[in-house]
Amino acid sequence: MAAVNDTAAAPAAAPAKRPSLIERVAGWTSERANPIVVRYARQQLRSRGFIILFSTVLGFATLFSITVGATAGEQGEGEAAFTLFGLLAAIWAFAVWVFEPIAAFRATANERDEKTWDLVRLTGLSPGKLIRGMFLASVLQGLLYSAAIAPFLVMAYLLRGIALEEILFVLFLIPVAGWCASAGAIFLGSVSGSKGARNALGVLVAIVSGFIWFSTLTVWLNFDFTGHFVIGGLMEGPGYVFLADFAVIWIGAMLVLGATILRHPASNRSTAPRVYAWVVFLNGVVWSLFASEPFLSEALVVASFFGALAAFLLGIFAITEDYVITPRQYRETRDMRWWQLPILFAPGAARGRLAYLSLVAAIAATVTVAYFLGPNGSRLREPMVFTILICAHGTLLITLCDAAARRWFARRLGNPVMRRVLFISVFASLAFIGSVITSLAGDRDPIAALTPIPGMWIIADRPGRFDDELLFIILAGGAAAFVLLIQAVRRTKVLERTVAELDA
C-alpha cells in the first residue's frame, strides 16, 4: 500500500520543450536538403585545396589593402581606389572562375566513375537531383570567397574615386559568371564515364577557364582606364536584367543537358532538351514584349536568332534518334498528359522531327512579324537573313547527313551517337572547305556564298547582291523540311507497331 502511495505521489514527467522557430526551420531544411549538397560541400570545405586557396585569397587581399592604403596619400585622387579594386577583383575572379569550375568538374567526373556510378544509382538519387546538388554546392563554396573579399571591396570604396554602383555591379558580375562556368564544367563532367575522356575534358576545362581569367586581367589590372569603361558600358541600359537572364538560361541548359546524359540510355532522354529549346526561344519572345515600340522588332529578331541556334542544336539530337522507342520510353510516353504535348516532346525520331519543324516554323513566323513591324525592314535585314540562313542550312545539312547515315552507312552508324558524330564531322569539313573557297575566290564569289559558315556571313553582309543564292538556300531548306515532315508522318507507323508489340 505504501508503494502505491509513493507511486501516486511521484511528480509527473515534465512536458517536452517545444523547439524554437530556428530549430524547426533547420530540421525541416535538413530533412529536405539535397544530400549531394551536404556531402560535396563538407568534403570540399575540408579539402586541402580549398583551405589553401581561401587562405591565399585572404592573404593577398590583406596584402593589397595594406600596400595600397599605405601609399594612397602619394597617389592621385581615385588612383588608389581603382588599383585596389582591380587587384581584389582579379584574385576573386581566379577563385570563382578557375578553381571552382575545375573543382566542380572533378567532383562530377568522380561520380561518373564506373565503380562509383553504380553505387550512386543504388541510392535512388535522380540524375537531376545529382546535377543540381553539385551546382548548389559549387554556388555555396563560391559564396564563401565572395564573403571573404567583400569587406576589402568596401575599403576600396572608402578610398574615394570609385562609384558604389560599379562595386555592386562587380559583386553581381563575378559570382554569376563563376556560376555559369561551374555549370558548364558540371555538364562536361557528366559527358562521359571513360577515364581518357574525363582526363581530356578536365584539361579542356582548365585551359578554357584559365584563358578566360587571363584575358580579363587587362580589365582588372588597368581598371582606371580599361576596366572603368568596360564596366560602365555593361551597366548602361538593362545590363543587370540581360546578364541575369542569360545566366539563368545558360545554367539551366547546362544542368538540363547534364541530367539528360546521366539518365539511363533506355529511358526518356528527349523531353527535357526539346522543352528547353522552346524555353530559350519563348524566353526571348517574352522579353521582347516588354520592349518599347521602336525596339520591339529588334528584340524579336534577337529572340529569333537565339531560337535558331537552339533549334539547330535540337535538330542534331532529335532527328538523329532511333525511330523505334524502348519499352521504358513507351511507358513514360503513355504516362504523359495531353497538355505535355507528347506529339512533340515524347521520345522517338518521328516526334523529334515534328518538334524541330514546329520550332523552326515559330521562328519563321517571329521573323516575319519583326519584318513588318520594323522601319521598312532595312535596318533589320542583315540579322533577319542570318537567322533564316541558320534555319535553312541547318535543316538541309541535318536532313542529308541523317539520310546518309541511315541508308548508306547503316551498319557502321547504327546508333544516334554515331549519326551525330557524322553530322559534326561533315559540318566541320564544310566549314573548313568554305573558308578555303572564300580565301581563294573572294567573298564576292557565288560559290562561296553557298557554303554553310562563311556563306552566312557573306550573304547577311550583302543581302541585295546574293538574292539568287539566298532564294536557292531557302528553297533547299524548305524542301528538306518537307522531307522531314513526310518522314515524321510515315514513321509514326513504327511507333504504333512498337506500342502494339508492347501491349501484346
Side-chain angles (χ1 to χ4, degrees):
M1 190 67 179
V4 174
N5 293 336
D6 292 341
T7 303
K17 183 180 178 181
R18 184 180 181 183
S20 62
L21 177 61
I22 297 178
E23 292 175 345
R24 294 198 300 272
V25 172
W28 182 87
T29 304
S30 62
E31 292 177 359
R32 292 165 175 78
N34 192 317
I36 297 298
V37 178
V38 179
R39 181 176 67 86
Y40 175 65
R42 292 180 61 183
Q43 289 178 351
Q44 291 298 316
L45 296 181
R46 294 179 179 179
S47 64
R48 184 179 302 176
F50 172 79
I51 296 175
I52 293 176
L53 183 62
F54 190 82
S55 303
T56 303
V57 170
L58 283 178
F60 274 105
T62 304
L63 178 63
F64 293 153
S65 300
I66 294 175
T67 304
V68 176
T71 59
E74 303 175 0
Q75 302 181 30
E77 183 178 358
E79 185 177 351
F82 285 125
T83 302
L84 177 59
F85 185 80
L87 292 173
L88 294 175
I91 189 65
W92 183 20
F94 177 82
V96 298
W97 291 3
V98 180
F99 179 81
E100 192 55 38
I102 294 177
F105 172 84
R106 292 179 59 186
T108 309
N110 290 336
E111 298 292 345
R112 286 284 283 143
D113 186 77
E114 296 180 357
K115 299 179 181 179
T116 308
W117 184 237
D118 293 336
L119 298 177
V120 173
R121 285 180 173 177
L122 292 176
T123 61
L125 285 174
S126 64
K129 198 169 186 178
L130 175 64
I131 292 295
R132 289 193 300 271
M134 289 291 181
F135 175 72
L136 292 176
S138 179
V139 170
L140 177 62
Q141 186 172 344
L143 291 177
L144 294 178
Y145 298 113
S146 305
I149 207 74
F152 297 97
L153 294 178
V154 175
M155 179 180 176
Y157 172 71
L158 296 177
L159 291 176
R160 305 287 180 96
I162 186 171
L164 182 61
E165 292 79 6
E166 295 178 345
I167 295 180
L168 294 178
F169 187 78
V170 173
L171 285 173
F172 163 80
L173 177 64
I174 292 182
V176 169
W179 299 342
C180 293
S182 297
I186 291 172
F187 164 70
L188 293 178
S190 62
V191 167
S192 176
S194 172
K195 184 176 180 180
R198 292 201 309 268
N199 293 335
L201 292 173
V203 173
L204 178 64
V205 171
I207 292 176
V208 172
S209 58
F211 175 78
I212 293 175
W213 175 77
F214 185 79
S215 62
T216 60
L217 278 181
T218 303
V219 176
W220 306 126
L221 299 183
N222 298 282
F223 194 80
D224 52 342
F225 297 104
T226 308
H228 182 67
F229 295 103
V230 171
I231 298 299
L234 292 175
M235 291 174 59
E236 292 181 358
Y240 281 99
V241 176
F242 177 78
L243 292 177
D245 183 68
F246 177 81
V248 170
I249 292 297
W250 171 265
I251 293 172
M254 295 297 101
L255 299 185
V256 167
L257 294 177
T260 300
I261 292 175
L262 293 182
R263 297 198 65 175
H264 192 276
S267 63
N268 182 8
R269 286 182 165 187
S270 306
T271 300
R274 294 181 190 178
V275 172
Y276 203 82
W278 273 92
V279 168
V280 173
F281 171 64
L282 294 178
N283 170 76
V285 173
V286 170
W287 278 111
S288 302
L289 299 179
F290 291 97
S292 56
E293 184 63 28
F295 303 102
L296 177 59
S297 57
E298 297 180 1
L300 289 175
V301 172
V302 173
S304 302
F305 173 76
F306 285 102
L309 296 179
F312 179 69
L313 295 176
L314 170 64
I316 296 175
F317 289 91
I319 294 176
T320 54
E321 292 183 9
D322 292 327
Y323 284 108
V324 181
I325 60 178
T326 65
R328 180 182 295 188
Q329 291 173 345
Y330 164 67
R331 289 191 294 267
E332 295 182 10
T333 302
R334 183 183 55 189
D335 295 336
M336 294 179 68
R337 306 298 182 183
W338 65 268
W339 51 268
Q340 293 176 316
L341 299 178
I343 190 62
L344 299 179
F345 302 134
R351 295 188 178 102
R353 281 158 167 73
L354 296 178
Y356 171 75
L357 293 176
S358 61
L359 183 55
V360 171
I363 294 170
T366 305
V367 171
T368 303
V369 172
Y371 177 81
F372 286 105
L373 290 178
N376 299 325
S378 58
R379 185 174 59 181
L380 302 176
R381 183 179 175 104
E382 294 183 10
M384 286 180 180
V385 169
F386 199 86
T387 302
I388 294 173
L389 287 175
I390 292 176
C391 295
H393 274 294
T395 304
L396 182 61
L397 290 177
I398 292 173
T399 304
L400 294 177
C401 291
D402 184 73
R406 295 181 189 272
R407 293 186 179 183
W408 300 336
F409 308 104
R411 293 184 178 180
R412 296 185 178 181
L413 306 177
N415 57 72
V417 175
M418 297 306 298
R419 287 192 285 269
R420 291 159 191 165
V421 170
L422 172 65
F423 172 80
I424 295 174
S425 302
V426 171
F427 185 76
S429 301
L430 291 178
F432 175 75
I433 294 173
S435 301
V436 174
I437 293 175
T438 303
S439 62
L440 295 177
D443 56 0
R444 297 184 179 183
D445 189 79
I447 299 178
L450 295 175
T451 57
I453 297 298
M456 294 182 189
W457 296 100
I458 293 172
I459 296 179
D461 188 49
R462 302 181 183 90
R465 181 182 179 88
F466 299 100
D467 286 337
D468 295 337
E469 288 77 9
L470 175 61
L471 180 60
F472 174 79
I473 295 174
I474 293 176
L475 292 177
F482 182 75
V483 171
L484 292 179
L485 180 61
I486 297 299
Q487 292 175 348
V489 175
R490 293 180 60 186
R491 289 292 182 166
T492 305
K493 298 180 180 180
V494 177
L495 299 177
E496 294 175 353
R497 184 171 65 250
T498 304
V499 171
E501 293 173 355
L502 290 173
D503 291 336

